[in-house]
Amino acid sequence: MKHLLSLETLSRPDMEHILAATGPMKKERGCHAFLPLAGKFWALLFSKSSTRTRVSFEVGIRELGGQVLFLNSSEIQLGRGEPIMDTARVLGRMLDGAVIRTYAQHDVEEFAQFSAIPTVNALTDQEHPCQILTDIYTYEEKRGPIAGKRVVFVGDGGCNVPVSWMFAAAKLDFELRLATPKKFQPSPELLRRAGGKIICTEDIRGAAHGADLLYTDVWVSMGKESESAERRRELAGYQINQTLVKLAKPDALVMHCLPAYRGMEIDEATFEANAETIFDQAANRLHCQKAILHWLVS
Ligand code: CP
Ligand code: NVA
């Protein structure tokens, strides 16, 4: 039984397989010779908001021949306290796969264990594996292999997106620099688990120097809303803007997982100057996740 629960637990060959399968999925959209989810029922079980992840999985499952149910966790008994392990044992007996967006990483792992159906992490507080696989595919689609390149993440270095970038870095041999205040830097334990070449620094300008990819994410992740004011104060300055872009390589890409908050983690002019890349990146979620789904059931 395969799952995609994190990039920490995804092997390098499996990561490379998914990345290699994304291009053909994109090319064959609308004319797939084989529908690996034909006759299958998949559920999306979400406890947090979503635009891209929800729509790309709903469309992707259908395009691969499957049927999809969207379950908002607050509208099923889970929201009234039914344990995950019981929910998983019920859904596992009725469904063929599950895509879960929630808070605790442990909850996705418990669901996978008790449901015994392929389970995908569609974002937890800890990781966002589907996003970072897509981001790497998008970088390579536009610039070639990411191995040996310098990826610079600017902003909240402790949230799900940079953590998944950390677990990809060693496996795909690129350098990762996290430009983030001390308080938002990943723990030494997390850095040890990730391995590879990861530099954490408060020096945003130094970090951006020679970047092949400048990347950012929101300052206030879902679930952290009560810290909004504090985060805006503490992360002020950790922004991708025109001045920072000048320090990167001339052909550097600027990417954002979206949603974007202009004037915070990225300025309006830089966002719009790189909108084509950023929206290609968003569109590639569909193709990469179809590659993930196919990999899971084969
Ligand atoms: N990037 C991303 O996961 O977007 P959504 O929250 O809209 O799914
Ligand atoms: N770090 C962000 C990612 C949104 C796609 C969050 O968790 O809200």
Side-chain angles (χ1 to χ4, degrees), residues 51-273:
T51 300
R52 283 144 286 271
T53 310
R54 176 177 175 174
V55 174
S56 53
F57 267 113
E58 289 206 27
V59 171
I61 289 165
R62 288 192 176 96
E63 287 188 358
L64 293 179
Q67 304 217 39
V68 62
L69 291 81
F70 182 79
L71 304 174
N72 180 330
S73 64
S74 66
E75 289 169 5
I76 60 172
Q77 298 290 7
L78 190 63
R80 296 180 64 246
E82 185 170 16
I84 289 183
M85 64 167 85
D86 293 355
T87 306
R89 281 180 284 188
V90 172
L91 297 185
R93 284 164 166 79
M94 298 178 184
L95 296 167
D96 300 289
V99 177
I100 301 182
R101 170 168 284 204
T102 191
Y103 295 87
Q105 176 70 20
H106 176 263
D107 289 350
V108 180
E109 288 165 8
E110 189 173 317
F111 186 95
Q113 183 192 341
F114 283 92
S115 67
I117 53 175
T119 301
V120 178
N121 173 356
L123 182 149
T124 60
D125 291 344
Q126 174 98 10
E127 277 219 39
H128 196 359
C130 301
Q131 177 72 56
I132 278 58
L133 287 170
T134 305
D135 300 338
I136 293 168
Y137 169 79
T138 306
Y139 181 85
E140 295 194 328
E141 182 183 42
K142 293 180 182 295
R143 294 286 186 270
I146 200 164
K149 296 290 189 330
R150 178 173 296 165
V151 175
V152 179
F153 179 92
V154 174
D156 172 10
C159 76
N160 40 26
V161 165
V163 170
S164 286
W165 270 108
M166 284 169 57
F167 286 114
K171 289 176 185 166
L172 298 180
D173 301 318
F174 58 86
E175 180 188 315
L176 178 65
R177 295 180 170 189
L178 302 179
T180 184
K182 277 228 158 48
K183 180 177 169 184
F184 296 90
Q185 291 178 6
S187 67
E189 159 64 6
L190 206 55
L191 287 163
R192 187 195 56 73
R193 271 162 46 197
K197 199 170 172 198
I198 302 175
I199 295 162
C200 297
T201 177
E202 294 193 290
D203 174 11
I204 172 172
R205 291 176 64 82
H209 192 79
D212 295 287
L213 168 59
L214 287 173
Y215 191 106
T216 192
D217 180 15
V218 295
W219 287 346
V220 185
S221 284
M222 291 179 279
K224 300 285 184 196
E225 290 81 3
S226 65
E227 299 172 11
S228 281
E230 193 182 330
R231 283 172 166 265
R232 281 177 201 182
R233 205 171 45 246
E234 290 168 339
L235 287 159
Y238 287 87
Q239 182 191 67
I240 299 185
N241 53 36
Q242 302 293 68
T243 314
L244 201 73
V245 169
K246 287 201 183 84
L247 301 171
K249 286 195 182 145
D251 68 340
L253 291 179
V254 173
M255 291 171 56
H256 193 310
C257 59
L258 299 177
Y261 292 84
R262 293 159 171 84
M264 286 194 244
E265 74 277 0
I266 192 162
D267 73 347
E268 169 86 28
T270 310
F271 183 89
E272 290 305 335

